[in-house]
Amino acid sequence: MLSRNLVVFLVASCLVGQSIPVRAQTLETRLKQQSSQALAQQALAMGDAKRGAVLFHQRYMSCVQCHVEREGEQGATLGPRLVALDEKPTTEKIVEAILEPSRTVRKGYEPYVLLTVDGRTISGILRKRTEDFIELAVLDKGGHVQRFAVDGLDEIVASKQSIMPAGLVNQLASPQQFLDLVRYVHEVVQGGPVIAQQLKPSAALLAPVLPE
């Protein structure tokens, strides 16, 4: 019979040079281990709005593409304009909206999917609907509004999934960056365009956009 020490030695020898997979938790998972209320309190106490502004305006985060108007296109945003919300969300609700974007989709920004008679699938935000046509802010066209004749559509489907992708928070590097981002959104929601302009980061602080 092999001694216990010899068995341990043999097992250890077999494991040498072998990697044991470790499943790391995502930032999203780590943050969800805390309550929205706790994260909101931390954001107000420790979040830095200026650092959060830099994160918000980074191209890879996609926040600006949906929540900030393009020049010359007033009101043409795929997501709610944070600086002009009629009903201002609490910091806790901001936390929930970032971590679980499909939990509550703000009225007027419900996504729709159009199935055309020629086999295309088009996703976007409904802007106008009549008996003859539908106007949709099309996602893969950067939110530009297009009109589609009803007789050219096979089906019109309302989606319960927000256009803001789940897991977007995993683009951040740390819990502190999440707190900074929440603090920035809180400040611009409460302070409006004036605060948003004051916090807007210099272009030098943003990652360059590589040519396609």
Side-chain angles (χ1 to χ4, degrees):
M1 181 178 294
L2 295 175
S3 69
R4 180 179 177 183
N5 287 342
L6 181 56
V7 171
V8 171
F9 172 78
L10 292 173
V11 172
S13 298
C14 292
L15 291 176
V16 170
Q18 295 184 17
S19 61
I20 300 175
V22 176
R23 182 170 297 176
Q25 286 187 328
T26 64
L27 178 59
E28 179 185 18
T29 301
R30 291 164 60 193
L31 291 169
K32 285 183 176 180
Q33 291 173 353
Q34 300 185 60
S35 69
S36 298
Q37 182 180 17
L39 290 169
Q41 291 173 347
Q42 292 172 46
L44 293 177
M46 299 183 294
D48 186 298
K50 289 185 178 179
R51 292 198 302 256
V54 174
L55 294 167
F56 182 90
H57 285 82
Q58 294 293 351
R59 182 83 175 183
Y60 61 81
M61 288 298 295
S62 302
C63 304
V64 170
Q65 287 90 310
C66 288
H67 294 289
V68 176
E69 290 176 338
R70 293 181 296 271
E71 187 175 351
E73 297 185 20
Q74 186 173 0
T77 56
L78 286 168
R81 286 185 64 221
L82 301 180
V83 298
L85 298 177
D86 294 330
E87 184 179 343
K88 301 183 186 300
T90 63
T91 312
E92 186 174 343
K93 289 296 183 183
I94 292 171
V95 168
E96 292 175 355
I98 297 174
L99 283 179
E100 301 179 76
S102 294
R103 183 171 181 174
T104 303
V105 178
R106 199 173 186 89
K107 186 176 180 180
Y109 293 91
E110 301 91 342
Y112 278 74
V113 178
L114 307 182
L115 305 178
T116 69
V117 295
D118 57 2
R120 291 178 297 150
T121 301
I122 303 163
S123 301
I125 304 300
L126 185 67
R127 292 300 187 212
K128 187 175 183 179
R129 184 173 185 174
T130 71
E131 292 182 356
D132 300 318
F133 65 84
I134 283 180
E135 288 185 349
L136 204 70
V138 181
L139 295 187
D140 60 8
K141 299 296 183 182
H144 290 287
V145 177
Q146 295 185 349
R147 179 176 291 189
F148 302 90
V150 171
D151 58 12
L153 302 175
D154 266 342
E155 196 171 355
I156 303 169
V157 182
S159 173
K160 295 182 179 180
Q161 294 296 313
S162 170
I163 65 170
M164 179 176 169
L168 187 62
V169 70
N170 292 321
Q171 299 288 333
L172 300 174
S174 66
Q176 182 60 53
Q177 285 195 346
F178 175 77
L179 300 180
D180 294 341
L181 180 61
V182 172
R183 182 60 185 269
Y184 168 77
V185 174
H186 166 81
E187 294 297 333
V188 298
V189 163
Q190 297 300 322
V194 173
I195 296 299
Q197 185 60 37
Q198 290 176 359
L199 291 172
K200 187 175 180 179
S202 165
L205 296 175
L206 306 179
V209 179
L210 299 177
E212 297 181 356

